[in-house]
Amino acid sequence: MSFQMYVPTRILFGAGQLNNLSAQKMPGEKALLVISNGKSVRENGALARTEEQLKKAGVEFVLFDKIQANPLKSTVMEGAAVARKNNCDFIVALGGGSVMDACKAIAMMTTNDGDLWDYVEGGTGKNLPLKNLPIPLICITTTAGTGSEVDPWGVITKEETKEKIGVGGHDSLYPVLAIVDPELMKSVPPKFTAYQGFDALFHSTECYISAYHNLMSDMYALTAIENVGKYLPRAVKNGNDMEAREGIAFANTLSGVVMTLSLTTAEHSLEHAMSAYHQELPHGAGLIILSKAFYEFFIEKHACDDRFIRMAQALGMKDAQKPEDFIIMLVKLQEDCGVADLKMSDYGIQPSEFDTLAKNARETMGGLFAGNPCEMTHEDCVEIYRKSYK
C-alpha cells in the first residue's frame, strides 16, 4: 500500500492552452527559448505563438535552436554557455521529448561548473552532487511521447563514449509549468505520431510490470494504456482528429507521471544502447522493434502473468485470460499504426553488435534492470536483440 508521490509541476492541459502562457507567473525575467534543429515549430506557427506569449508576459528571450532528435552532451554544454552569456534566468522548452530532456541538462549546467558528465550516475559519469540549483524550466510539449513535461529526468548521449544515459532526477528539475496543448501536435507526421505514442505506451507498460509498481502507479499506467489503445490508431490515421490527439496527449502526460511513481525496465536500457550507436534511430521506433521479444521473455518466465492479462484488457481485449493475449494486442496495435514491420537493419544495426549493445545497456543504464520483474542476464539481452532482428 506504500508509495511516494511528488509532482510539483503546474499542468495546463487542453486545446488552446498555449494562449494562456502569458497569464502565468513567470519564474524569471529572461528566458533561453529552446527548440530543435528541425523546422516543425517554425512552420506550424508554434514558435511565433510562443514568442508572442513571452512578449505579452514582459519576458525577454534568446533563441537556441540546435537540439538533435537524440540530444548530445556537446549541444547541452553549448546551450548552457549561451544561457550564461545572455544572463538567462529560466528556460522555455518548446518541442518534443528531446528538447525537454536537453533543457533539464542545460538548466543544470547553466548554474554548475564543469562537464555534464560530472553529475551523471552510470557509465563514465562521476555522480557528483549539484552545487547550485538549476534555473527553472517551463515545458511546452509539441509531441505525445516522453512525458518529459512532468518528470525531472532527461536522456542525453555522450557522443565520444556512446553512452546514452538518464540525467537529473533532482526535485529542482521538475518543470515549474507544463503546457500540454494537443493543437500543437496536429502537424506531427503519422509515423512519428506512432513512434511517440508507443514510447508513452511502454513507459506505462514497463512501470506496470515493474518490481517497483504500486497502487498509485498502477492507476496512472492502466489509464494511459487504455487511452493509447483507444486513440493512437486514430491519431496516426488522421492527425486532425482532435479527440484522438487529446487522448494520446493525456496518456503521454500520465505516462510521464507514472515514471515518478514506479520505475521503467531494461527495455529502455536496451533501446538507449541501440540509439547511442545509431543516432538516426528514433527512440520510439527502437522500442517498437524490441517490444515483442522483450515482453515475451517475461511471459515465458511467468514473471507476472496477471499483469500481462490486465494490460491486454486495457488494450481492448476485454475477455483476455492468458498473458500471451497481451502480445496479440501489442502486435495488433503496431499493425493498426503501420509500424509492425520496422527493421533494425534499416538503421544500420547488425547482429555482430548485439554483444556490445547488451554490455552498453547494462553499463550505462543498469539501474533500470532492477525494475525487471525477474532476472535478465547478459545472454538474455543478446537473445532479445537476436529475436528482434530483421
Side-chain angles (χ1 to χ4, degrees), residues 59-135:
V59 169
E60 294 183 64
F61 56 87
V62 176
L63 185 67
F64 184 72
D65 59 355
K66 298 186 179 182
I67 307 301
Q68 302 90 351
N70 286 302
L72 300 176
K73 187 203 75 171
S74 57
T75 310
V76 165
M77 296 303 297
E78 183 181 353
V82 172
R84 286 189 185 196
K85 179 181 178 183
N86 290 279
N87 297 313
C88 297
D89 55 4
F90 74 108
I91 298 175
V92 175
L94 174 66
S98 299
V99 171
M100 295 185 289
D101 281 14
C103 283
K104 290 166 188 172
I106 291 172
M108 289 168 56
M109 297 315 300
T110 299
T111 55
N112 288 278
D113 295 330
D115 184 82
L116 176 63
W117 244 244
D118 293 341
Y119 308 99
V120 166
E121 180 182 359
T124 60
K126 296 180 181 178
N127 198 24
L128 297 177
L130 291 179
K131 292 183 178 179
N132 303 301
L133 288 175
I135 58 175

Side-chain angles (χ1 to χ4, degrees), residues 2 11 18 34 58 68 75 95 114 122 129 134 169 195 210 233 270 283 294 297 330 336 347 351 373:
S2 65
I11 302 169
L18 179 57
V34 182
Q68 302 90 351
T75 310
Y195 298 163
S210 174
L270 295 172
H283 174 58
F294 182 82
F297 172 83
L330 176 64
D336 290 346
Y347 296 95

Side-chain angles (χ1 to χ4, degrees), residues 191-213:
K191 71 174 182 179
F192 287 103
T193 296
Y195 298 163
Q196 294 153 9
F198 272 96
D199 188 16
L201 174 70
F202 295 137
H203 286 159
S204 284
T205 55
E206 290 179 54
C207 284
Y208 189 69
I209 68 170
S210 174
Y212 291 84
H213 74 83

